[in-house]
Amino acid sequence: MEKNLKINPPCDDSCPVRASLTLLGGKWTLMILFQINEGIMRYGELKRAVTGISEKMLIQELNMLVENRLVNKKVYPEIPPKVEYTLTDLGLKTLPIVDKLAEFGLDNLVKKVGLNAKHQ
Amino acid sequence: MEKNLKINPPCDDSCPVRASLTLLGGKWTLMILFQINEGIMRYGELKRAVTGISEKMLIQELNMLVENRLVNKKVYPEIPPKVEYTLTDLGLKTLPIVDKLAEFGLDNLVKKVGLNAKHQ
DNA sequence: TTTGGTACCTACTAAATGGTTAGAATTACT
DNA sequence: AGTAATTCTAACCATTTAGTAGGTACCAAA
């Protein structure tokens, strides 16, 4: 006798949530994608934007994201070096996830100032 | 001269994405919420549903989720013990995130069988 | 010649996370 | 009496993940 309104199949290797989390579940991954967003970001800009990340983690994540075709990397053969990162089509498809994450945080976690928002 | 189409403020402590990730970013957290979903799940059911999780991680996460008011815990004073977990109102608000995660995984990561899905 | 700026890499260390094993509690069933 | 069932705890260990510190490369400007 099931009382479940919505029963999901077990979360094994073929579980789409697990698959996404394997790719995107790192501490910094979604925050980096969020910062690049629909724009063009240089390495140095990202370092400043993602407060608190170490250089090692940033390039490590960036390399991983490029490898997994979520991020495009454009290198200008200049001195000093200039590298631009943008989201690929696949990377852009992660933005709805990030948006929901931002929405949830905004509505429930981050203290809002003023803006008498009557719990809507 | 900015070429960014969409510029986000830096991701510091007040970044809603970061706040959400701090709460939900664990290896198992979102998968557990996904499995409970809109239903009622017992501890043992969850253990079977979230394939590969250890008992320790499961109760540890469950305790953390109860503490953070994402999950309700109903204990029946029976022997053998019976405990039911459901999402709170706040917990239910995480489902859109999980849905997007599932959607992304389904569309891009998990191999689909049959269903000649012409890249739509 | 030294310093600065940009984008990395590598080796080492530290911290966070996760896994294993054992056990407690209590009742029913054998 | 012994075993099973269910939920949960605690101690200990292994692995994974992240942070630190240092270095490379190249050219420009001081």
Side-chain angles (χ1 to χ4, degrees), chain A residues 26-28 52 54-57 60-61 79:
Chain A
K27 178 171 173 183
W28 301 103
S54 67
E55 297 199 347
K56 175 191 142 183
M57 285 313 296
Q60 191 172 297
E61 287 287 295
I79 293 292

Side-chain angles (χ1 to χ4, degrees), chain B residues 75-82:
Chain B
V75 181
Y76 292 83
E78 298 174 3
I79 292 294
K82 177 176 173 184

Side-chain angles (χ1 to χ4, degrees), chain A residues 10-62:
Chain A
C11 241
D12 58 9
D13 291 327
S14 73
C15 168
V17 175
R18 182 176 297 211
S20 296
L21 251 19
T22 301
L23 184 61
L24 306 171
K27 178 171 173 183
W28 301 103
T29 316
L30 286 164
M31 246 151 50
I32 293 170
L33 296 174
F34 175 58
Q35 284 297 331
I36 301 177
N37 221 286
E38 295 167 10
I40 302 169
M41 292 285 271
R42 294 186 58 178
Y43 172 82
E45 287 183 291
L46 277 172
K47 204 171 62 181
R48 281 185 296 277
V50 184
T51 308
I53 196 172
S54 67
E55 297 199 347
K56 175 191 142 183
M57 285 313 296
L58 183 52
I59 43 124
Q60 191 172 297
E61 287 287 295
L62 249 11

Side-chain angles (χ1 to χ4, degrees), chain A residues 3 15 22 29 35 48 83 88-89 95 97 110 115 117:
Chain A
K3 272 179 246 157
C15 168
T22 301
T29 316
Q35 284 297 331
R48 281 185 296 277
V83 180
T88 62
D89 285 349
L95 291 183
I97 301 170
V110 178
L115 295 184

Side-chain angles (χ1 to χ4, degrees), chain B residues 44-62:
Chain B
E45 287 182 288
L46 277 171
K47 203 171 65 182
R48 281 185 297 278
V50 183
T51 307
I53 197 172
S54 68
E55 298 199 348
K56 174 189 145 184
M57 285 312 297
L58 183 52
I59 41 126
Q60 190 172 298
E61 288 287 296
L62 249 11

Side-chain angles (χ1 to χ4, degrees), chain B residues 77-120:
Chain B
E78 298 174 3
I79 292 294
K82 177 176 173 184
V83 180
E84 288 178 347
Y85 294 96
T86 51
L87 296 190
T88 61
D89 286 350
L90 184 58
L92 288 168
K93 291 188 195 161
T94 66
L95 291 182
I97 301 169
V98 179
D99 284 346
K100 289 296 172 189
L101 232 27
E103 192 183 316
F104 180 82
L106 215 48
D107 288 353
N108 307 293
L109 305 176
V110 179
K111 304 138 204 43
K112 298 166 269 281
V113 241
L115 295 184
N116 53 358
K118 294 192 173 175
H119 66 84
Q120 55 94 307

